Amino acid sequence: MKKISLTGIKPTGDLHIGNYFGAIKPALELANEYDARYFIADYHGLNTMKDPNELQSTIRHVAAGWLASGLDPDKVIFYRQSSIPEVFELTTMLMAFTSKGLMNRAHAYKDAVSKNNLKYEDTDAGINMGLFTYPVLMAADIIIFDSDVVPVGKDQLQHIEMAQDIAQSVNANYKQQVLKIPQAAIQESVAVVPGLDGRKMSKSYGNVIPLFAAEKTLRKTIMRITTNSQTVDEPKNPDESQIFQLYKLFADDKEQSALADRYRAGGMGWGDAKEELFRAANRCISPIRERYNAIMSDIPSLDKILAHGAEKARPIAAATVKRFRKAAGID
Ligand code: ADP
């Protein structure tokens, strides 16, 4: 039997290059080797997305993004989290095995608390229970499909470790392998895609290169990348430039070493470096963008694909819940 790969993306904003190289592309590569289950984490999105129109359109944007990037819904079970009620039943069961202390240690929650403390606000101001219990829902997403590997960016590692801890508590209690222990699959070479300002590319930093930007916007965005004050003539170190780090994502080895030589030789300004990046990025993104636009022009077909995926996913999810209920004495 093939092993199972599972991952999800929250519909909380426009997809960017970091999402593509850090999450979507490695996940699609794993789908050649594993039985893949990929989904839109829309109930995770609800924690922050309170405008219904915006949430609905972002769900479709992310779904179309997966498909445009090459997800084949005949091979991958592709669905919306909200279409699988068993996930929420499992979440409730997992809550009973999750210590509050574990949640207190979650990075996202701790960050929110420290921001409040810095502003001398109430410790838990603006923090909803969806954010606090986020790792339990994510553990249920993963565990419900008996997932072996979870392809994610480095920032998600703690969540996978928490899923392992929670599943282990269940198994230890019932002295049997009720739930499968998942493993993270992190591609080191693209573990953190830098943004325009050199920090991790993230929508919360406003430093992203959108995946489906029209050609003109893509060029304009790349031209905004922060650079140092080195002159055109000065030799430049490609390894210290986020322009080159981004270029590496789009270029083959030969192109990379040719451009690295030009950086080191001097005589190439940051403007030219950005132009090279734009050319390589546009070459890679154009076909994805075209497919994306085609998918978004036929929403009923997109919704049908997701509904069909949910139909395939639910019996698998139900079997896990049944197994757990039986072990727990609630059958
Ligand atoms: P954002 O940081 O923009 O809010 P998300 O948290 O929604 O992005 O991330 C969705 C997926 O994309 C996650 O698996 C995450 O690890 C991955 N990801 C996001 N940004 C990056 C990045 N800059 N480099 C690598 N992977 C990333």
Side-chain angles (χ1 to χ4, degrees):
M1 226 171 70
K2 271 195 189 173
K3 290 197 167 186
I4 293 158
S5 157
L6 172 138
T7 198
I9 293 189
K10 278 178 302 180
T12 46
D14 288 349
L15 290 173
H16 54 71
I17 305 285
N19 301 139
Y20 178 73
F21 285 103
I24 298 176
K25 190 164 174 261
L28 292 177
E29 280 161 11
L30 279 183
N32 295 323
E33 210 186 309
Y34 288 78
D35 268 342
R37 280 109 208 228
Y38 298 156
F39 69 99
I40 320 296
D42 45 4
Y43 273 155
H44 275 119
L46 186 60
N47 291 331
T48 52
M49 302 281 284
K50 298 299 198 295
D51 177 320
N53 294 328
E54 198 187 346
L55 182 54
Q56 190 188 48
S57 74
T58 311
I59 290 168
R60 287 176 174 150
H61 162 81
V62 174
W66 272 111
L67 294 167
S69 302
L71 185 146
D72 176 353
D74 290 331
K75 292 209 184 108
V76 175
I77 302 183
F78 182 52
Y79 56 94
R80 290 163 58 158
Q81 179 188 45
S82 60
S83 306
I84 319 292
E86 290 79 6
V87 169
F88 315 111
E89 191 174 352
L90 180 60
T91 302
T92 300
M93 296 179 80
L94 294 180
M95 291 279 186
F97 292 84
T98 306
S99 69
K100 179 174 171 287
L102 188 70
M103 298 298 96
N104 288 342
R105 291 194 289 279
H107 296 320
Y109 173 66
K110 273 172 62 182
D111 286 353
V113 165
S114 69
K115 275 187 192 137
N116 282 336
N117 290 343
L118 278 174
K119 288 188 284 182
Y120 300 103
E121 297 229 28
D122 180 75
T123 300
D124 284 323
I127 299 175
N128 59 42
M129 285 303 286
L131 171 69
F132 187 63
T133 61
Y134 188 108
V136 191
L137 176 54
M138 180 156 162
D141 288 332
I142 297 169
I143 289 167
I144 201 144
F145 291 110
D146 289 328
S147 310
D148 293 287
V149 296
V150 186
V152 281
K154 230 179 199 160
D155 58 316
Q156 295 297 310
L157 188 58
Q158 190 197 35
H159 288 148
I160 313 291
E161 288 167 353
M162 289 182 165
Q164 293 170 338
D165 282 358
I166 298 169
Q168 267 151 359
S169 305
V170 172
N171 292 348
N173 183 70
Y174 299 113
K175 300 188 178 55
Q176 53 172 309
Q177 227 224 301
V178 184
L179 306 175
K180 193 184 273 179
I181 311 296
Q183 304 298 327
I186 294 172
Q187 259 204 353
E188 283 301 327
S189 61
V190 289
V192 177
V193 175
L196 301 179
D197 55 2
R199 291 187 293 171
K200 171 188 178 265
M201 186 176 289
S202 170
K203 53 188 167 280
S204 42
Y205 296 149
N207 64 354
V208 307
I209 302 179
L211 185 55
F212 301 117
E215 193 167 315
K216 253 191 175 165
T217 317
L218 177 65
R219 191 166 182 282
K220 256 199 195 153
T221 310
I222 287 175
M223 293 303 152
R224 279 178 36 221
I225 296 177
T226 320
T227 53
N228 61 22
S229 56
Q230 280 180 305
T231 62
V232 172
D233 290 338
E234 279 178 80
K236 298 172 179 65
N237 183 349
D239 300 326
E240 285 172 3
S241 157
Q242 74 260 34
I243 305 177
F244 192 75
Q245 300 316 303
L246 288 165
Y247 180 80
K248 286 205 308 204
L249 299 168
F250 299 107
D252 63 28
D253 289 350
K254 232 173 111 191
E255 291 171 319
Q256 288 179 35
S257 70
L259 191 66
D261 288 346
R262 284 181 63 200
Y263 270 67
R264 291 194 190 98
M268 187 180 70
W270 290 124
D272 284 346
K274 290 177 182 177
E275 204 60 61
E276 292 294 343
L277 169 60
F278 165 69
R279 262 200 289 274
N282 195 45
R283 179 183 66 189
C284 166
I285 290 172
S286 290
I288 307 176
R289 185 198 298 133
E290 273 166 36
R291 283 195 295 271
Y292 171 80
N293 290 334
I295 294 162
M296 287 302 273
S297 69
D298 183 4
I299 296 291
S301 296
L302 175 61
D303 289 348
K304 219 184 272 166
I305 289 173
L306 289 164
H308 190 57
E311 263 171 46
K312 289 193 268 184
R314 282 198 65 188
I316 308 172
T320 308
V321 170
K322 195 169 171 202
R323 195 168 76 226
F324 191 175
R325 285 178 58 144
K326 188 156 190 283
I330 310 181
D331 54 342

